[in-house]
Amino acid sequence: MAHEMILVETQGRVGVITLNRPQALNALCDQLMTELGDALRTFDADPAVGAIVITGSQKAFAAGADIKEMKDRAYPGVYFDDFIGKRWETVLTIQKPVIAAVAGFALGGGCELAMMCDLILAADNAKFGQPEINLGIIPGAGGTQRLVRSIGKSKAMEMILTGRMMDAQEAERANLVCRIVPVADLVAEAVKMGEKIASLSAPSVAMAKEAVNVAYETTLREGVRFERRLFLSLFSTEDQKEGMAAFAEKRKPSFTNR
Ligand code: CAA
């Protein structure tokens, strides 16, 4: 599929997808989300890629769903089209780790897309917000749920009810992002993290990601049970033998993803 609204490249073993609709601050229109889903699935299927980065421009990761595209839409058309439905959630189906590298605005659906990724690395100029309330709607791509789980009820409630934006420092204090880096280094830092992940054993990376994400969605007891099943299953891999033998022999492991 030819892409018009995203840029797609590999840097080493990391697939990098850059949202590229600068005239609309990367507003997430249907076409952009279709292209993004296509690129994510392609990288997920590519054995040469071990991790994926989604980023935007220095001014905007994404300023939300495309307001101009949706302003005249009506019910039940949006219901039957599954608007903001499965197409937006492709990122949740990807087995490889997906890093959101966020500079500038991550608003509305932009903040929600970042939260659907496995982790968020923020530039020092990042701004997060759920301003949908100003439009007479509410977040529609998981914002009311994921923001609460990520930063707690009071802060999420304030942001969602007032539309207030959070800067990178506050987002780091609130655990929305893993780390802040200078905006000029953002993509390089995200790729470096992706390279580290890609150098490890792919089955353990995919299962670690799956187990952490399950913590979001289930009870502690069920989550620990799920983790243990995956943990024990990894004893069937050659990489587990290699990783532990390499430790005992004081050498670097050579993983084969088997
Ligand atoms: N949809 C469509 N176009 C958008 C857009 C959006 N979400 N955000 C920005 N744009 C467009 C603007 O209309 C403008 O286009 P024109 O030059 O053709 O007028 C261009 O991008 C540049 O934007 P601004 O001139 O507004 O730039 P600014 O620097 O003055 O302001 C901003 C930046 C504060 C991010 C402002 O653009 C803004 O408030 N954007 C909307 C944010 C928003 O409400 N997001 C939520 C969308 S709803 C949603 O996401 C639902 C959901 O949960 C899935």
Side-chain angles (χ1 to χ4, degrees):
M1 177 185 191
H3 298 132
E4 293 173 354
M5 298 190 175
I6 60 172
L7 304 172
V8 178
E9 59 174 330
T10 46
Q11 294 191 29
R13 296 207 49 205
V14 182
V16 180
I17 302 171
T18 305
L19 310 181
N20 185 35
R21 211 188 156 207
Q23 72 285 5
L25 300 183
N26 292 332
L28 302 168
C29 62
D30 261 9
Q31 183 181 339
L32 190 153
M33 293 312 286
T34 301
E35 292 183 12
L36 175 62
D38 173 67
L40 283 167
R41 279 189 295 268
T42 303
F43 278 145
D44 209 28
D46 183 347
V49 168
I52 302 168
V53 171
I54 303 178
T55 195
S57 70
Q58 292 198 352
K59 175 152 192 205
F61 176 73
D66 190 317
I67 300 167
K68 294 169 191 166
E69 188 179 68
M70 71 180 148
K71 71 181 176 38
D72 297 322
R73 301 212 57 184
Y75 197 85
V78 284
Y79 173 80
F80 286 115
D81 285 355
D82 194 22
F83 179 57
I84 312 282
K86 290 192 191 72
R87 187 169 30 256
W88 278 62
E89 295 193 338
T90 302
V91 65
L92 300 176
T93 69
I94 301 301
Q95 287 192 308
K96 292 170 185 168
V98 183
I99 301 165
V102 173
F105 296 111
L107 301 179
C111 186
E112 292 168 301
L113 173 62
M115 289 192 291
M116 279 191 250
C117 296
D118 295 308
L119 60 97
I120 304 176
L121 182 66
D124 48 15
N125 74 341
K127 280 192 175 2
F128 299 87
Q130 298 289 165
E132 289 91 340
I133 204 80
N134 296 319
L135 301 168
I137 56 168
I138 67 169
T144 62
Q145 306 302 301
R146 291 197 179 86
L147 199 59
V148 177
R149 281 168 170 72
S150 185
I151 68 173
K153 180 178 169 186
S154 274
K155 223 179 228 307
M157 192 68 92
E158 187 206 358
M159 288 177 70
I160 289 165
L161 289 182
T162 69
R164 179 176 78 80
M165 288 186 215
M166 189 186 262
D167 66 17
Q169 287 68 30
E170 186 180 359
E172 188 187 31
R173 284 198 303 278
N175 294 326
L176 180 61
V177 308
C178 67
R179 204 146 52 81
I180 303 175
V181 297
V183 63
D185 302 340
L186 176 69
V187 176
E189 284 290 332
V191 168
K192 197 164 132 196
M193 193 193 301
E195 277 291 0
K196 169 69 193 178
I197 293 166
S199 75
L200 301 169
S201 168
S204 62
V205 165
M207 290 190 200
K209 157 180 165 141
E210 193 182 1
V212 173
N213 283 329
V214 160
Y216 246 4
E217 290 167 5
T218 194
T219 62
L220 179 61
R221 181 187 285 262
E222 284 307 314
V224 170
R225 197 199 304 268
F226 183 76
E227 176 196 84
R228 193 156 307 135
R229 291 283 164 263
L230 294 184
F231 171 73
L232 295 176
S233 74
L234 285 168
F235 282 74
S236 67
T237 66
E238 292 175 18
D239 282 348
Q240 174 265 334
K241 303 287 175 290
E242 167 63 10
M244 293 191 181
F247 176 82
E249 292 160 17
K250 299 188 187 302
R251 60 173 173 82
K252 279 197 158 178
S254 175
F255 292 123
T256 55
N257 299 334
R258 287 198 291 265

